[in-house]
Amino acid sequence: MTNETAEYSLSRPCRKVPQWDIETDIAIIGFGASGASAAIEAASAGAKVTLFEATSGNGGTSALSGGEIYLGGNGGTPIQNAAGFSDDTEALYQYLLMAGGPNADAAKVRLYADNSLKHYEWLLAQGVEYKNSFIPQRIVEPDTDDCLIWSGSEEAWPFSEQAKPCPRGHTPKFMGMGAGRYLMDKLAARVTALGVDVRYDSRAVALITDESSRVIGIVIRNAGKDSYVRARKGVALCAGGFVMNREMVKKNAPWMLQSNHPIGTVDDGSGITMGQSVGGAAINMSEGFVTLPWYPPESLIKGIFINERGQRYINEDCYHGRTAHHGMQQRSTRLFSLQDSETYGEPLFGQFAKIGIAGTGDTWEEVEKELELPAGSLTTTVELYNRFAAEGSDLLFHKAKKWLKPLNKPPFVALDCRIDVCFYPTFTLGGLDTLPTGEVLNADRKPIAGLYAAGRTACGLPRWGEGYSSGMSLADATFFGRQLGSRVVSVA
Amino acid sequence: MTNETAEYSLSRPCRKVPQWDIETDIAIIGFGASGASAAIEAASAGAKVTLFEATSGNGGTSALSGGEIYLGGNGGTPIQNAAGFSDDTEALYQYLLMAGGPNADAAKVRLYADNSLKHYEWLLAQGVEYKNSFIPQRIVEPDTDDCLIWSGSEEAWPFSEQAKPCPRGHTPKFMGMGAGRYLMDKLAARVTALGVDVRYDSRAVALITDESSRVIGIVIRNAGKDSYVRARKGVALCAGGFVMNREMVKKNAPWMLQSNHPIGTVDDGSGITMGQSVGGAAINMSEGFVTLPWYPPESLIKGIFINERGQRYINEDCYHGRTAHHGMQQRSTRLFSLQDSETYGEPLFGQFAKIGIAGTGDTWEEVEKELELPAGSLTTTVELYNRFAAEGSDLLFHKAKKWLKPLNKPPFVALDCRIDVCFYPTFTLGGLDTLPTGEVLNADRKPIAGLYAAGRTACGLPRWGEGYSSGMSLADATFFGRQLGSRVVSVA
């Protein structure tokens, strides 16, 4: 062991290979959605694919998800059409560009927007089924086998002003929540059917480079023994993000440590670190997704969020991840959702998410007092909001008219959305800079020969906590996993 | 040229050396404060030092600064003592730890706090002079030759609660502003006197590594010709940050692009990128300093800042960089400083910083209207603040009592602090992870043999825009430049 770690590590490539234990065309690291999609495309094209997974089963963090994929454009999927929506490619492009934030990758967004409908068809071809149904109410994910939902901030300011709104969250036909497992079962079955050589309990510990710095293989550790894998066409890092590596989070995105609910399986940053060890550039490393499933019922959206200074901070009708992300920037551990007797409904995920009731009252003064907020801090905010709501125009935060209603019907309730108490799941959005083909880039945006990445090891479509929408990460992982799989095969 | 760039680049180390054109013990890249301090210590210890500077003169971005250095602890400097302050080492330690933010480097803070008084003496020994004087008023930097000022948020919440306040900004005895040039003249004179071989117009283009990945030299480009420099003991990257590389800022700290006033000379990120090319880990890359010199006169501190939603967002008595940093997080291009006839005074740097008057009025309603803010948004905020001020306790933002005064004496003024119009200078605070000795670390925090970094190429004491205080960056650059210089020499 001592000799081994002295020779190489996640952060230091291996340059001395005693022998090749395994030879393959493509070594894929990680059996989540991106690794599976890459494997399917590469194997379909006739390549010999070896897929290494650190754990004893497939699915990765993708299997922990709701399985939603953000799809549309090109006139719309049949499900969008049946629900009465004709989705425009440019609207999808604009929305994703905006959702990607100030450092959005226009090339990736363009490719995805143009091919999203084809990607839907590809998913069907892999055996993923979708029910032809639409849930118009605002929810987090279906607890039925229904498909289409509003899964982002499409109808909310400022997105609604720049891109024609359309629901695009497509959830597979799976009864109940957590369709990510279903999605991965389908993809994994295809991987198996295509004869991909899958090796479980096999952890990648270092890339192998030749004298010209080309990546030619990878060292895999299984039961304490290292194997040297030659990958003739390339190594694909599909090993997830880094949210489970708390030290790495601290160094890059310390704001995320406010949440003690990282969502991940392995996600130890090893894919990113190995990429960096051969000169790969990691970008956007401070960005992350965070949410709080505070609705449904959607009537809660008519309430308002305040921080512990009594200040409102967001248009409450945007995506739950956006409200939570803004909440986490408030420098306020206590956050409250204020409701009146007409808007209040017990949060569906209240118990699960630990959203309790922080205070009640027959007047807002009483609530303010019970929350121990400075006199006047909450009440002036509610007063101002109620006036805007009555006038039908939220001049401060631009919440859409349909969600505006004066909060003036007692009794009043303040929901407890404390950051240190409630369930604020979070994962990272920074990673290796890649071309749409999956080629890993160095700081000069030059490809590193033989190295590819996709999924949360790469920095893809989703790269801005403020703009994240459900289904963006799986859309990115599956679609750009596929691009990677095709590309590796095509390189001579 | 084509062959050359194919062989190596900032992001790809050079591994084939036709011949050694220059041989030295230590190659230092960059002649700012950190490079100069490293050179002085290494040369004093008898090493052969070669200093490469990309421009035609010395000073780097350090020379653009006010020349303040954050010094204290250990009972206080003679200047602190003369002003009546006995600075405590633990207070300095606590303050710097807090100022460093959630990812502060405790080892560096510890070493600096323990040795800050000795560092003051070292500065004197280099010929830097300080006048024994203290300016108790809150200013940005002296426009005289005075020395000691409050250069951070020491007396402001929450810092004041955790570390006993003491003024620690030491400005050299130089008449007028911009003492950074004076400081660099003194250090540069020492560098010359010690016989350091200084090469101007010499840009580093790639590190050179041997088979074991040890850094053994650097490629230097001068007038289009590359020289291969062998550095027997090590290469020190003291090449500044990356604020002038707007693409790199976009990839790592896009929020900083709100300011169009990057402060730098070279600062193209080349030091960081070269470090990464051999496996160096860059951390905290999203952090940056930003400010707006909105005071003096200090009476303005009695006013309040609001965003374009009429919301207050900071205790205005903290350091100007902290008020500006919080302002930039407001998602509000328009920011205002509200004043009444008793607090208003023309901002000293108003013309320079483009701080104009956005609105005036005999009532706050008039001001609100003139600013075209929604009715009630500004006035309720002022009302609430005035009540807190009258009661002597700022329950929302904890501004210290001495700065509290109801803003109720007309006429009223709103100063225009627009982010896209005013002078918000900014520079980066992320960089290579290093030990206090300057050794560059990889992602596993293992040193990379032969490679060192200091100043803004490294991630040092200042690494959190919210906590930055004037003098922290030069303190870090000079002190840890020295550590680096000593360390390189001592390694066998």
Side-chain angles (χ1 to χ4, degrees), chain A residues 95 98 153-165 398 400:
Chain A
Y95 183 81
M98 209 174 166
S153 297
E154 298 85 358
E155 291 190 300
W157 183 91
F159 301 90
S160 58
E161 295 202 330
Q162 294 185 36
K164 191 185 160 204
H398 313 287

Side-chain angles (χ1 to χ4, degrees), chain B residues 109-400:
Chain B
V109 171
R110 184 78 264 167
L111 191 71
Y112 186 74
D114 289 349
N115 292 282
S116 184
L117 184 60
K118 281 184 202 151
H119 188 53
Y120 167 78
E121 286 155 7
W122 180 87
L123 288 161
L124 296 185
Q126 307 319 306
V128 181
E129 291 187 79
Y130 294 98
K131 185 173 169 182
N132 191 353
S133 63
F134 170 50
I135 300 179
Q137 291 79 27
R138 286 284 295 279
I139 61 169
V140 172
E141 64 177 274
D143 56 358
T144 56
D145 63 351
D146 289 302
C147 176
L148 188 64
I149 67 166
W150 292 98
S151 71
S153 297
E154 298 86 358
E155 290 190 302
W157 183 91
F159 301 91
S160 57
E161 295 202 331
Q162 293 182 38
K164 191 185 160 202
C166 186
R168 301 192 183 99
H170 287 68
T171 317
K173 188 176 171 183
F174 169 83
M175 187 52 74
M177 303 183 75
R181 182 66 261 171
Y182 164 92
L183 176 74
M184 283 310 304
D185 284 345
K186 295 293 181 185
L187 296 181
R190 281 288 292 160
V191 167
T192 306
L194 286 162
V196 171
D197 180 7
V198 180
R199 310 282 182 110
Y200 290 105
D201 302 310
S202 298
R203 182 177 291 274
V205 289
L207 291 168
I208 302 170
T209 55
D210 67 12
E211 307 74 34
S212 73
S213 295
R214 185 191 163 87
V215 174
I216 56 168
I218 192 150
V219 184
I220 297 288
R221 192 166 292 171
N222 168 284
K225 184 183 168 297
D226 285 359
S227 300
Y228 297 83
V229 179
R230 186 175 168 212
R232 287 180 289 258
K233 286 175 174 285
V235 172
L237 302 170
C238 299
F242 63 95
V243 80
M244 306 312 279
N245 182 335
R246 305 309 273 171
E247 195 53 39
M248 196 164 166
V249 171
K250 191 178 167 205
K251 285 183 196 170
N252 292 283
W255 68 270
M256 290 177 71
L257 297 175
Q258 291 176 84
S259 155
N260 200 23
H261 299 282
I263 300 300
T265 46
V266 179
D267 293 285
D268 58 0
S270 56
I272 295 169
T273 305
M274 280 189 286
Q276 289 179 300
S277 76
V278 296
I283 63 171
N284 251 46
M285 292 291 281
S286 64
E287 282 295 335
F289 162 83
V290 66
T291 196
L292 174 73
W294 61 278
Y295 60 77
E298 67 173 17
S299 65
L300 291 171
I301 295 171
K302 294 181 179 167
I304 59 172
F305 275 109
I306 60 165
N307 60 30
E308 63 195 350
R309 296 179 300 277
Q311 297 175 310
R312 213 172 141 223
Y313 54 85
I314 188 71
N315 47 328
E316 295 81 3
D317 59 340
C318 60
Y319 175 65
H320 48 84
R322 185 170 163 89
T323 59
H325 190 277
H326 280 239
M328 213 164 254
Q329 313 305 318
Q330 292 304 303
R331 301 175 175 84
S332 170
T333 304
R334 296 196 296 161
L335 299 173
F336 307 101
S337 168
L338 305 184
Q339 306 290 338
D340 76 0
S341 65
E342 288 182 351
T343 65
Y344 178 75
E346 195 182 333
L348 183 64
F349 305 111
Q351 216 163 356
F352 167 69
K354 300 204 178 92
I355 302 173
I357 287 177
T360 56
D362 285 325
T363 64
W364 283 115
E365 283 75 11
E366 273 181 50
V367 176
E368 184 178 74
K369 207 164 178 180
E370 194 168 336
L371 303 181
E372 296 181 337
L373 297 183
S377 60
L378 178 155
T379 50
T380 53
T381 297
V382 171
E383 249 169 63
L384 197 62
Y385 175 76
N386 282 354
R387 212 191 70 218
F388 291 146
E391 290 166 1
S393 183
D394 175 13
L395 296 176
L396 296 185
F397 292 95
H398 313 288
K399 182 151 77 167

Side-chain angles (χ1 to χ4, degrees), chain B residues 422-445:
Chain B
C422 301
F423 177 66
Y424 280 87
T426 182
F427 56 81
T428 58
L429 296 176
L432 296 171
D433 194 11
T434 57
L435 291 177
T437 52
E439 291 160 273
V440 174
L441 302 172
N442 69 13
D444 299 327
R445 300 213 89 206

Side-chain angles (χ1 to χ4, degrees), chain B residues 25-28 34-50 122 194 196 233-234 236 481-490:
Chain B
D25 289 334
I26 302 146
I28 297 176
S34 60
S37 301
I40 291 167
E41 293 297 77
S44 299
K48 181 170 178 189
V49 181
T50 312
W122 180 87
L194 286 162
V196 171
K233 286 175 174 285
R482 289 178 58 207
Q483 307 311 306
L484 187 169
S486 303
R487 173 70 181 186
V488 181
V489 177
S490 73

Side-chain angles (χ1 to χ4, degrees), chain B residues 455-475:
Chain B
R456 293 293 54 78
T457 303
C459 190
L461 294 177
R463 50 171 70 187
W464 196 44
E466 284 188 50
Y468 190 86
S469 305
S470 284
M472 273 180 76
S473 191
L474 283 179

